[in-house]
């Protein structure tokens, strides 16, 4: 009798309706319509080609120096305004900063010849000028994330705009330390990968190739997120967060061929930015000309941009006020959790003329 009672108590009962609900939620999360994006109030103040400059007015202005944000070229910047309560932009706005975001939009085939230099001069430089006029400000804080940080470092090195503060988060600068498998890096440097022929054929790098490239580096086997989703499909808050993350992860956008050619050949293969040999419209980009206050934010668990790629920026600039901060986060979770807004606020608050 004791054995029978024990067996009955240890065998879990099967709740058919609960399981059907869980599987339905799992299916809806994968195949359902996209969730709304952009939760912080904003309005467009400038457009160029596919790009839009968004202004996020502060709730209660505390600082005279506005924040100008540049995100990567290969993903949509929705990760910076991910969800209420965890929005990087929302956190800054609520802390008293006027925020401007340069949204690159989605490149078309007609944009295939746009270079990194074009993005720096025709988009970032002009966008910062427009933001300064709109804000009526004398100085600006420029924040770059991932490849956006590389572009803002280039911009700060050639800029004549009054950049008071420069922040580069999860930024690749020194490509002598590869973020890819060693054999791939060797193949790229030795010319085994014919990047030029690929670009000449496609013009634009399709999003599916970009996703495959980064997936092969970070998560070659990509099943665990779906297993986690199935396990927690009855948790509505988790499911919504999962859907937003999945939506952003798969939201790669095309990259112009000429920009990719420069990233592959000039940066990854020849490391020209660190060596002082990268040029924009015939002018060398000298990072030593950067004198703005500098913050370099590094994610400790970043499996895409190792800290050895970011740290050299500290020695390359001429800034007197420069800080690097190592954060317990991953490449995406630095923004997804909203943690970055607190880091920015604590550093910018004493450097923004409040």
């Amino acid at each position: 009798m004791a054995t029978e009672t024990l067996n009955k108590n240890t065998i879990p009962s099967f709740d058919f309706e609960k399981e059907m609900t869980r599987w339905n939620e799992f299916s809806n999360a994968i195949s359902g319509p996209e969730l709304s994006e952009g939760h912080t109030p904003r309005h467009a103040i400038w457009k160029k080609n596919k790009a839009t400059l968004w202004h996020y007015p502060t709730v209660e202005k505390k600082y005279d120096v506005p924040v100008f944000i540049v995100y990567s070229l290969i993903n949509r910047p929705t990760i910076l305004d991910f969800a209420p309560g965890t929005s990087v932009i929302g956190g800054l706005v609520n802390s008293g900063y006027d925020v401007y975001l340069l949204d690159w939009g989605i490149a078309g085939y007609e944009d295939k010849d746009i270079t990194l230099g074009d993005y720096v001069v025709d988009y970032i430089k002009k966008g910062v000028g427009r933001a300064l006029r709109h804000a009526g400000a004398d100085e600006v804080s420029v924040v770059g994330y991932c490849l956006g940080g590389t572009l803002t470092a280039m911009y700060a090195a050639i800029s004549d705009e009054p950049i008071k503060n420069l922040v580069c988060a999860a930024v690749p600068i020194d490509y002598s330390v590869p973020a890819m498998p060693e054999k791939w890096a060797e193949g790229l440097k030795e010319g085994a990968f014919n990047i030029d022929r690929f670009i000449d054929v496609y013009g634009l790098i399709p999003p599916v190739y970009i996703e495959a490239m980064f997936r092969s580096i970070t998560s070659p086997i990509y099943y665990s997120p779906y297993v986690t989703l199935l396990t927690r499909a009855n948790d509505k808050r988790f499911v919504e967060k999962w859907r937003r993350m999945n939506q952003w992860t798969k939201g790669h956008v095309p990259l112009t061929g000429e920009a990719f050619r420069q990233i592959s050949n000039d940066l990854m293969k020849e490391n020209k930015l660190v060596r002082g040999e990268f040029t924009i419209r015939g002018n060398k980009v000298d990072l030593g000309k950067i004198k703005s206050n500098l913050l370099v934010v590094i994610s400790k668990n970043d499996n895409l941009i190792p800290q050895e790629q970011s740290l050299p920026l500290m020695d390359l600039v001429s800034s007197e006020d420069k800080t690097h901060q190592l954060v317990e986060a991953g490449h995406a979770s630095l923004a997804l959790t909203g943690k970055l807004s607190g880091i920015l606020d604590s550093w910018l608050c004493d450097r923004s003329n409040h």
Side-chain angles (χ1 to χ4, degrees), residues 108-177:
Y109 183 77
E110 64 276 11
D111 303 312
K112 61 185 177 64
D113 295 324
I114 295 179
T115 65
L116 296 180
D118 295 331
Y119 281 125
V120 169
V121 176
D122 295 334
Y123 292 80
I124 298 178
K125 183 177 176 63
K126 290 183 178 179
V128 168
R130 183 67 184 86
L132 282 166
R133 292 193 299 273
H134 183 269
D138 297 325
E139 296 175 297
V140 66
S141 296
V142 178
V143 178
Y145 198 116
C146 189
L147 183 57
T150 312
L151 295 175
T152 55
M154 293 177 181
Y155 162 65
I158 66 169
S159 169
D160 52 12
E161 283 77 42
I163 303 174
K164 183 169 186 178
N165 305 304
L166 174 65
V167 181
C168 294
V171 58
I173 294 291
D174 187 351
Y175 285 90
S176 65
V177 179

Side-chain angles (χ1 to χ4, degrees), residues 40-331:
T40 307
R42 67 181 186 177
H43 58 272
I45 66 165
W46 181 69
K47 288 181 179 289
K48 179 175 178 60
N49 194 12
K50 310 302 191 305
T52 302
L53 180 60
W54 297 102
H55 174 226
Y56 299 79
T58 181
V59 174
E60 181 180 351
K61 188 171 181 177
K62 296 180 182 178
Y63 305 100
D64 298 330
V65 181
V67 177
F68 187 97
I69 302 178
V70 180
Y71 192 61
S72 178
L73 293 169
I74 60 174
N75 267 102
R76 300 305 304 272
T78 51
I79 192 174
L80 300 174
D81 195 18
F82 186 64
T86 59
S87 169
V88 174
I89 292 174
L92 290 172
V93 165
N94 291 330
S95 295
Y97 301 89
D98 269 319
V99 177
Y100 296 84
L101 170 69
L102 183 58
D103 183 344
W104 300 111
I106 301 176
Y109 183 77
E110 64 276 11
D111 303 312
K112 61 185 177 64
D113 295 324
I114 295 179
T115 65
L116 296 180
D118 295 331
Y119 281 125
V120 169
V121 176
D122 295 334
Y123 292 80
I124 298 178
K125 183 177 176 63
K126 290 183 178 179
V128 168
R130 183 67 184 86
L132 282 166
R133 292 193 299 273
H134 183 269
D138 297 325
E139 296 175 297
V140 66
S141 296
V142 178
V143 178
Y145 198 116
C146 189
L147 183 57
T150 312
L151 295 175
T152 55
M154 293 177 181
Y155 162 65
I158 66 169
S159 169
D160 52 12
E161 283 77 42
I163 303 174
K164 183 169 186 178
N165 305 304
L166 174 65
V167 181
C168 294
V171 58
I173 294 291
D174 187 351
Y175 285 90
S176 65
V177 179
M180 62 181 69
E182 186 177 341
K183 290 295 183 182
W184 292 16
E186 290 178 3
L188 179 64
K189 290 182 179 180
E190 294 172 3
F193 301 151
N194 196 326
I195 299 296
D196 293 320
R197 286 184 60 189
F198 181 84
I199 293 169
D200 291 340
V201 169
Y202 280 90
L204 284 181
I205 310 305
V208 64
Y209 283 98
I210 295 173
E211 181 179 356
M213 178 174 61
F214 284 103
R215 183 69 62 214
S216 63
I217 295 173
T218 59
S219 305
I221 301 175
Y222 193 64
Y223 295 113
S224 57
Y226 295 97
V227 174
T228 304
L229 172 63
L230 180 59
T231 303
R232 301 184 60 180
N234 286 319
D235 184 342
K236 291 185 178 181
R237 291 183 61 184
F238 174 83
V239 170
E240 180 179 353
K241 183 178 180 180
W242 188 96
R243 289 181 65 190
R244 291 191 184 282
M245 177 60 181
N246 191 58
Q247 186 171 303
W248 173 80
T249 300
K250 294 183 174 297
H252 290 289
V253 294
L255 178 63
T256 67
E258 289 308 313
F260 184 56
R261 196 192 307 271
Q262 287 184 302
I263 292 170
S264 300
N265 294 338
D266 294 346
L267 300 185
M268 299 177 70
K269 184 178 180 180
E270 299 184 29
N271 206 21
K272 285 186 176 181
L273 184 59
V274 168
R275 293 165 59 185
E277 299 173 359
F278 188 83
T279 61
I280 292 180
R281 298 183 179 177
N283 299 312
K284 285 188 177 181
V285 177
D286 181 3
L287 296 177
K289 292 183 177 180
I290 297 176
K291 298 180 180 180
S292 311
N293 303 327
L294 174 69
L295 172 64
V296 178
V297 182
I298 301 169
S299 294
K300 184 177 181 181
N301 304 316
D302 195 331
N303 56 2
L304 187 60
I305 308 297
Q307 58 181 296
E308 291 82 5
Q309 283 193 350
S310 302
L311 273 175
L313 183 59
M314 295 289 293
D315 295 325
L316 291 168
V317 302
S318 299
S319 309
E320 293 184 6
D321 180 346
K322 52 185 178 180
T323 307
H324 79 271
Q325 186 168 347
L326 187 63
V327 183
E328 195 73 39
H331 186 78

